[in-house]
Coordinates of all heavy atoms in Angstrom, one line a residue:
S1 N -0.7 0.4 -3.5 CA 0.4 1.3 -3.5 C 0.2 2.2 -2.2 O -0.8 2.2 -1.6 CB 0.2 2.2 -4.7 OG -0.9 3.2 -4.7
A2 N 1.3 2.8 -1.9 CA 1.3 3.7 -0.7 C 0.3 4.8 -0.9 O -0.4 5.2 0.2 CB 2.8 4.3 -0.5
T3 N 0.1 5.3 -2.0 CA -1.0 6.3 -2.3 C -2.4 5.8 -2.0 O -3.1 6.5 -1.3 CB -0.9 6.8 -3.7 OG1 0.5 7.3 -4.0 CG2 -1.9 7.8 -4.0
D4 N -2.6 4.6 -2.3 CA -3.9 4.0 -2.1 C -4.2 3.8 -0.8 O -5.3 4.0 -0.2 CB -4.1 2.7 -3.0 CG -4.1 3.0 -4.5 OD1 -4.7 4.0 -4.9 OD2 -3.7 2.0 -5.3
I5 N -3.2 3.2 0.1 CA -3.5 3.0 1.4 C -3.7 4.3 2.2 O -4.4 4.4 3.1 CB -2.4 2.0 2.1 CG1 -1.1 2.7 2.2 CG2 -2.4 0.7 1.5 CD1 -0.2 1.8 3.1
Q6 N -3.0 5.4 1.8 CA -3.2 6.6 2.4 C -4.6 7.2 2.1 O -5.3 7.6 3.0 CB -2.1 7.7 1.9 CG -0.8 7.5 2.5 CD 0.1 8.6 2.0 OE1 0.0 9.1 0.9 NE2 1.1 9.0 2.9
R7 N -5.0 7.0 0.8 CA -6.4 7.4 0.4 C -7.4 6.7 1.2 O -8.5 7.3 1.5 CB -6.6 7.1 -1.1 CG -7.9 7.7 -1.7 CD -8.0 7.4 -3.1 NE -7.7 6.1 -3.5 CZ -8.6 5.0 -3.5 NH1 -9.7 5.2 -2.9 NH2 -8.2 3.8 -3.9
L8 N -7.2 5.4 1.6 CA -8.2 4.6 2.3 C -8.1 5.0 3.8 O -9.0 4.5 4.6 CB -7.9 3.1 2.1 CG -8.3 2.5 0.7 CD1 -7.7 1.1 0.6 CD2 -9.8 2.6 0.6
G9 N -7.0 5.5 4.2 CA -6.9 5.8 5.6 C -6.5 4.7 6.4 O -6.8 4.6 7.6
V10 N -5.7 3.8 5.9 CA -5.2 2.6 6.5 C -3.7 2.5 6.5 O -3.0 3.4 5.9 CB -5.8 1.4 5.9 CG1 -7.3 1.3 6.1 CG2 -5.3 1.1 4.5
T11 N -3.2 1.6 7.3 CA -1.7 1.3 7.3 C -1.5 -0.2 7.0 O -2.4 -0.9 7.0 CB -1.1 1.7 8.7 OG1 -1.8 0.9 9.7 CG2 -1.3 3.2 9.0
N12 N -0.2 -0.5 6.9 CA 0.1 -1.8 6.7 C -0.4 -2.7 7.8 O -0.3 -2.4 8.9 CB 1.6 -2.1 6.6 CG 2.2 -1.7 5.2 OD1 1.5 -2.0 4.1 ND2 3.4 -1.2 5.1
G13 N -1.0 -3.9 7.4 CA -1.6 -4.7 8.4 C -3.1 -4.5 8.8 O -3.7 -5.4 9.3
T14 N -3.6 -3.4 8.4 CA -5.0 -3.1 8.5 C -5.9 -4.0 7.7 O -5.5 -4.1 6.5 CB -5.4 -1.6 8.1 OG1 -4.7 -0.7 9.0 CG2 -6.9 -1.4 8.3
E15 N -6.8 -4.7 8.3 CA -7.8 -5.6 7.3 C -8.7 -4.7 6.6 O -9.4 -3.9 7.1 CB -8.5 -6.5 8.3 CG -7.5 -7.6 8.9 CD -8.2 -8.7 9.5 OE1 -9.4 -8.6 10.0 OE2 -7.6 -9.8 9.5
V16 N -9.0 -5.2 5.3 CA -9.9 -4.5 4.4 C -10.7 -5.6 3.8 O -10.3 -6.8 3.7 CB -9.2 -3.7 3.4 CG1 -8.4 -2.4 3.9 CG2 -8.2 -4.5 2.5
R17 N -11.8 -5.3 3.3 CA -12.7 -6.2 2.5 C -12.5 -5.9 1.1 O -12.6 -4.7 0.6 CB -14.2 -6.0 2.9 CG -15.1 -6.9 2.2 CD -16.5 -6.8 2.5 NE -16.8 -6.8 4.0 CZ -16.7 -7.9 4.8 NH1 -16.4 -9.1 4.2 NH2 -16.9 -7.8 6.0
V18 N -12.2 -7.0 0.3 CA -12.0 -6.9 -1.1 C -13.2 -7.6 -1.8 O -13.4 -8.8 -1.5 CB -10.6 -7.5 -1.6 CG1 -10.5 -7.5 -3.1 CG2 -9.5 -7.0 -0.8
T19 N -13.9 -6.9 -2.7 CA -15.1 -7.5 -3.2 C -15.1 -7.4 -4.8 O -14.7 -6.4 -5.3 CB -16.4 -6.8 -2.6 OG1 -16.3 -6.8 -1.3 CG2 -17.6 -7.4 -3.2
S20 N -15.5 -8.4 -5.5 CA -15.8 -8.5 -6.8 C -17.2 -8.9 -7.1 O -17.9 -9.4 -6.2 CB -14.8 -9.2 -7.6 OG -15.1 -10.6 -7.5
A21 N -17.6 -9.1 -8.3 CA -18.9 -9.6 -8.7 C -19.0 -11.0 -8.3 O -20.1 -11.6 -8.0 CB -19.2 -9.4 -10.2
K22 N -17.8 -11.8 -8.2 CA -17.8 -13.2 -7.9 C -17.8 -13.5 -6.4 O -18.1 -14.6 -6.0 CB -16.5 -13.8 -8.6 CG -16.5 -15.2 -8.5 CD -15.3 -15.7 -9.3 CE -15.2 -17.3 -9.1 NZ -13.9 -17.8 -9.5
G23 N -17.2 -12.6 -5.6 CA -17.0 -12.9 -4.2 C -16.4 -11.8 -3.4 O -16.1 -10.7 -3.8
S24 N -16.1 -12.1 -2.2 CA -15.6 -11.1 -1.2 C -14.9 -11.8 -0.1 O -15.2 -12.9 0.4 CB -16.7 -10.3 -0.6 OG -16.3 -9.3 0.4
F25 N -13.8 -11.2 0.4 CA -13.1 -11.7 1.6 C -12.2 -10.5 2.2 O -12.1 -9.5 1.7 CB -12.2 -12.9 1.3 CG -11.1 -12.7 0.3 CD1 -9.9 -12.2 0.6 CD2 -11.3 -13.0 -1.0 CE1 -8.9 -11.9 -0.4 CE2 -10.4 -12.9 -1.9 CZ -9.1 -12.3 -1.7
V26 N -11.8 -10.8 3.5 CA -11.1 -9.8 4.3 C -9.6 -10.3 4.4 O -9.4 -11.5 4.6 CB -11.7 -9.8 5.7 CG1 -10.9 -8.8 6.6 CG2 -13.2 -9.3 5.6
I27 N -8.7 -9.3 4.0 CA -7.3 -9.6 4.1 C -6.7 -8.3 4.6 O -7.1 -7.2 4.6 CB -6.8 -9.9 2.7 CG1 -7.0 -8.8 1.7 CG2 -7.2 -11.2 2.2 CD1 -6.3 -8.9 0.4
P28 N -5.4 -8.5 5.2 CA -4.6 -7.4 5.6 C -3.9 -6.6 4.5 O -3.6 -7.3 3.5 CB -3.5 -8.0 6.5 CG -3.3 -9.4 6.1 CD -4.7 -9.8 5.5
V29 N -3.8 -5.3 4.6 CA -3.2 -4.5 3.5 C -1.7 -4.6 3.8 O -1.2 -4.6 4.8 CB -3.6 -3.0 3.8 CG1 -2.7 -2.0 3.0 CG2 -4.9 -2.9 3.5
V30 N -1.0 -4.8 2.6 CA 0.5 -4.7 2.5 C 0.9 -3.9 1.4 O 0.6 -4.2 0.3 CB 1.2 -6.1 2.5 CG1 2.7 -6.0 2.4 CG2 0.7 -7.0 3.5
S31 N 1.6 -2.7 1.7 CA 2.1 -1.9 0.6 C 3.4 -2.4 0.0 O 4.2 -2.9 0.7 CB 2.2 -0.5 1.1 OG 2.8 0.4 0.1
R32 N 3.4 -2.5 -1.3 CA 4.6 -3.0 -2.0 C 5.1 -1.9 -3.1 O 4.3 -1.4 -3.7 CB 4.3 -4.3 -2.8 CG 3.9 -5.4 -1.9 CD 5.0 -6.1 -1.4 NE 4.5 -7.4 -0.8 CZ 4.8 -7.7 0.4 NH1 5.4 -6.9 1.3 NH2 4.4 -8.8 1.0
R33 N 6.4 -1.8 -3.1 CA 7.0 -0.8 -4.1 C 6.7 -1.4 -5.5 O 6.7 -2.6 -5.7 CB 8.5 -0.7 -3.9 CG 8.8 0.1 -2.7 CD 10.4 0.2 -2.6 NE 10.6 0.8 -1.3 CZ 11.7 1.4 -1.0 NH1 12.8 1.4 -1.8 NH2 12.0 1.9 0.3
G34 N 6.5 -0.6 -6.4 CA 6.4 -1.0 -7.8 C 5.0 -1.3 -8.2 O 4.7 -1.6 -9.4
V35 N 4.0 -1.2 -7.3 CA 2.6 -1.5 -7.6 C 2.0 -0.2 -8.0 O 2.1 0.8 -7.3 CB 1.8 -2.1 -6.4 CG1 0.4 -2.3 -6.8 CG2 2.5 -3.5 -6.1
A36 N 1.4 -0.2 -9.2 CA 0.9 1.1 -9.6 C -0.3 1.5 -8.9 O -1.1 0.7 -8.4 CB 0.4 0.9 -11.1
D37 N -0.6 2.8 -8.8 CA -1.8 3.4 -8.0 C -3.0 2.7 -8.6 O -3.1 2.6 -9.8 CB -1.8 4.9 -8.1 CG -0.7 5.5 -7.3 OD1 0.0 4.8 -6.5 OD2 -0.5 6.8 -7.6
G38 N -4.0 2.4 -7.8 CA -5.2 1.9 -8.3 C -5.2 0.4 -8.6 O -6.1 -0.2 -9.2
T39 N -4.0 -0.3 -8.3 CA -3.9 -1.7 -8.6 C -3.8 -2.5 -7.3 O -3.1 -2.1 -6.4 CB -2.6 -1.8 -9.4 OG1 -2.6 -1.1 -10.6 CG2 -2.4 -3.4 -9.8
A40 N -4.5 -3.6 -7.3 CA -4.4 -4.5 -6.1 C -3.7 -5.8 -6.6 O -3.9 -6.3 -7.7 CB -5.7 -5.0 -5.7
V41 N -2.7 -6.3 -5.9 CA -2.0 -7.5 -6.1 C -2.4 -8.5 -5.1 O -2.2 -8.3 -3.9 CB -0.5 -7.2 -6.1 CG1 0.3 -8.6 -6.3 CG2 -0.1 -6.2 -7.1
L42 N -2.9 -9.7 -5.5 CA -3.4 -10.7 -4.7 C -2.8 -12.0 -5.2 O -2.7 -12.2 -6.3 CB -4.9 -10.9 -4.8 CG -5.7 -9.7 -4.3 CD1 -7.1 -9.8 -4.7 CD2 -5.5 -9.4 -2.8
A43 N -2.5 -12.9 -4.2 CA -1.9 -14.2 -4.5 C -3.0 -15.1 -5.1 O -4.1 -14.9 -4.9 CB -1.3 -14.8 -3.3
V44 N -2.5 -16.0 -6.0 CA -3.4 -17.0 -6.6 C -2.9 -18.4 -5.9 O -1.7 -18.7 -5.9 CB -3.3 -17.1 -8.0 CG1 -4.1 -18.3 -8.6 CG2 -3.8 -15.8 -8.7
G45 N -3.9 -19.1 -5.4 CA -3.4 -20.4 -4.8 C -4.5 -21.1 -4.1 O -5.7 -20.9 -4.2
D46 N -4.1 -21.9 -3.1 CA -5.0 -22.7 -2.4 C -5.8 -21.9 -1.2 O -6.9 -22.3 -0.8 CB -4.3 -23.9 -1.6 CG -3.8 -24.9 -2.6 OD1 -4.4 -25.0 -3.7 OD2 -2.8 -25.6 -2.3
T47 N -5.2 -20.9 -0.8 CA -5.9 -20.0 0.2 C -6.7 -18.9 -0.4 O -6.5 -18.7 -1.7 CB -4.8 -19.5 1.2 OG1 -3.9 -18.6 0.5 CG2 -4.1 -20.5 1.9
L48 N -7.3 -18.2 0.3 CA -8.1 -17.0 -0.2 C -7.1 -16.1 -1.1 O -6.0 -15.8 -0.6 CB -8.6 -16.1 0.9 CG -9.8 -16.7 1.6 CD1 -10.3 -15.8 2.7 CD2 -11.0 -17.1 0.7
G49 N -7.5 -15.7 -2.3 CA -6.6 -14.9 -3.1 C -7.4 -14.6 -4.4 O -8.7 -14.6 -4.3
A50 N -6.7 -14.1 -5.3 CA -7.3 -13.6 -6.6 C -8.3 -14.6 -7.2 O -9.3 -14.3 -7.7 CB -6.2 -13.2 -7.6
N51 N -8.0 -16.0 -7.1 CA -8.8 -17.0 -7.7 C -10.2 -17.0 -7.1 O -11.1 -17.4 -7.8 CB -8.2 -18.3 -7.6 CG -7.8 -18.7 -6.2 OD1 -7.3 -17.9 -5.4 ND2 -8.1 -20.0 -5.9
E52 N -10.4 -16.4 -6.0 CA -11.7 -16.2 -5.3 C -12.5 -15.1 -6.0 O -13.8 -15.0 -5.7 CB -11.6 -16.1 -3.8 CG -10.9 -17.1 -3.1 CD -11.7 -18.5 -3.2 OE1 -12.9 -18.5 -3.0 OE2 -11.0 -19.5 -3.3
L53 N -11.9 -14.2 -6.6 CA -12.5 -12.9 -7.1 C -12.5 -12.9 -8.7 O -13.4 -12.2 -9.2 CB -11.7 -11.7 -6.6 CG -11.7 -11.5 -5.1 CD1 -10.8 -10.5 -4.8 CD2 -13.0 -11.4 -4.5
I54 N -11.7 -13.5 -9.3 CA -11.5 -13.3 -10.8 C -12.5 -14.1 -11.6 O -12.8 -15.3 -11.3 CB -10.1 -13.6 -11.3 CG1 -9.1 -12.7 -10.7 CG2 -10.0 -13.7 -12.8 CD1 -7.8 -13.0 -11.0
D55 N -13.3 -13.5 -12.4 CA -14.1 -14.2 -13.4 C -13.3 -14.5 -14.6 O -12.9 -13.6 -15.4 CB -15.3 -13.3 -13.8 CG -16.2 -13.8 -14.8 OD1 -15.9 -14.9 -15.4 OD2 -17.3 -13.2 -15.0
A56 N -13.0 -15.8 -14.8 CA -12.0 -16.2 -15.9 C -12.7 -15.8 -17.3 O -11.8 -15.8 -18.2 CB -11.8 -17.7 -15.8
G57 N -13.9 -15.7 -17.4 CA -14.5 -15.4 -18.7 C -14.5 -13.9 -18.9 O -14.8 -13.4 -20.0
A58 N -14.1 -13.0 -18.0 CA -14.1 -11.6 -18.2 C -12.7 -11.1 -18.6 O -11.7 -11.6 -18.2 CB -14.5 -10.9 -16.8
V59 N -12.6 -10.1 -19.4 CA -11.4 -9.5 -19.8 C -10.8 -8.8 -18.7 O -9.6 -8.8 -18.4 CB -11.6 -8.5 -21.0 CG1 -10.3 -7.7 -21.4 CG2 -12.2 -9.1 -22.2
V60 N -11.6 -8.1 -17.8 CA -11.1 -7.3 -16.7 C -12.0 -7.6 -15.5 O -13.2 -7.7 -15.7 CB -11.1 -5.8 -16.9 CG1 -10.8 -5.0 -15.7 CG2 -10.2 -5.4 -18.0
T61 N -11.5 -7.8 -14.4 CA -12.3 -8.0 -13.0 C -12.1 -6.8 -12.1 O -11.0 -6.6 -11.7 CB -11.9 -9.3 -12.4 OG1 -12.1 -10.4 -13.1 CG2 -12.7 -9.4 -11.1
D62 N -13.1 -6.0 -12.0 CA -13.1 -4.9 -11.1 C -13.2 -5.4 -9.7 O -14.1 -6.2 -9.4 CB -14.1 -3.8 -11.5 CG -13.9 -3.1 -12.8 OD1 -12.7 -2.8 -13.0 OD2 -14.8 -2.9 -13.5
V63 N -12.5 -4.8 -8.8 CA -12.6 -5.1 -7.3 C -12.7 -3.8 -6.6 O -12.4 -2.8 -7.0 CB -11.4 -5.9 -6.8 CG1 -11.3 -7.2 -7.4 CG2 -10.1 -5.2 -6.8
Q64 N -13.5 -3.9 -5.5 CA -13.6 -2.8 -4.6 C -12.9 -3.1 -3.3 O -13.0 -4.1 -2.8 CB -15.1 -2.6 -4.2 CG -15.4 -1.4 -3.3 CD -16.9 -1.2 -3.0 OE1 -17.6 -1.9 -3.5 NE2 -17.2 -0.3 -2.2
V65 N -12.2 -2.2 -2.7 CA -11.4 -2.3 -1.5 C -12.1 -1.3 -0.5 O -12.1 -0.2 -0.8 CB -9.9 -2.1 -1.7 CG1 -9.3 -2.2 -0.3 CG2 -9.4 -3.0 -2.8
E66 N -12.5 -1.9 0.6 CA -13.1 -0.9 1.6 C -12.6 -1.2 3.0 O -12.3 -2.4 3.3 CB -14.7 -1.0 1.5 CG -15.1 -2.5 1.8 CD -16.7 -2.5 1.6 OE1 -17.4 -1.7 2.0 OE2 -17.1 -3.5 1.0
T67 N -12.5 -0.2 3.8 CA -12.1 -0.4 5.2 C -13.3 -1.0 6.0 O -14.3 -1.0 5.6 CB -11.7 1.0 5.8 OG1 -12.8 1.8 5.7 CG2 -10.5 1.6 5.1
I68 N -12.8 -1.8 7.0 CA -13.7 -2.4 7.9 C -13.7 -1.6 9.2 O -12.7 -1.5 9.9 CB -13.3 -3.8 8.2 CG1 -13.2 -4.6 6.9 CG2 -14.2 -4.5 9.2 CD1 -12.6 -6.0 7.0
R69 N -14.8 -1.1 9.6 CA -14.8 -0.2 10.9 C -15.9 -0.8 11.8 O -16.8 -1.3 11.4 CB -15.1 1.2 10.5 CG -14.0 1.7 9.6 CD -14.0 3.1 9.6 NE -13.1 3.5 8.4 CZ -12.0 4.1 8.5 NH1 -11.6 4.5 9.7 NH2 -11.3 4.4 7.5

């Protein structure tokens, strides 16, 4: 959300590291309308995306988003 990218001190296009217990990768930030604060939306598919981070056996997968400096 726009609130989250402001809190992180980044702008659209800034690369951030997204990490879960399953893995980690670097992607650019893109703010989208309609995404709730505290929520990350990642694509699922053949390239790096949510499937790289989600534990299918878990009810919820927590992720950490951090700036790269």
Side-chain angles (χ1 to χ4, degrees):
S1 74
T3 302
D4 290 327
I5 66 171
Q6 283 181 331
R7 183 178 52 79
L8 288 170
V10 299
T11 59
N12 280 326
T14 302
E15 290 192 330
V16 295
R17 180 175 313 282
V18 182
T19 305
S20 75
K22 188 176 172 192
S24 178
F25 58 85
V26 175
I27 57 173
V29 168
V30 179
S31 178
R32 300 274 191 238
R33 289 183 190 196
V35 175
D37 292 348
T39 303
V41 177
L42 300 169
V44 176
D46 295 334
T47 60
L48 291 177
N51 52 319
E52 301 292 322
L53 299 175
I54 293 174
D55 177 354
V59 175
V60 173
T61 299
D62 289 320
V63 297
Q64 177 181 1
V65 179
E66 60 188 317
T67 58
I68 301 170
R69 301 197 193 243

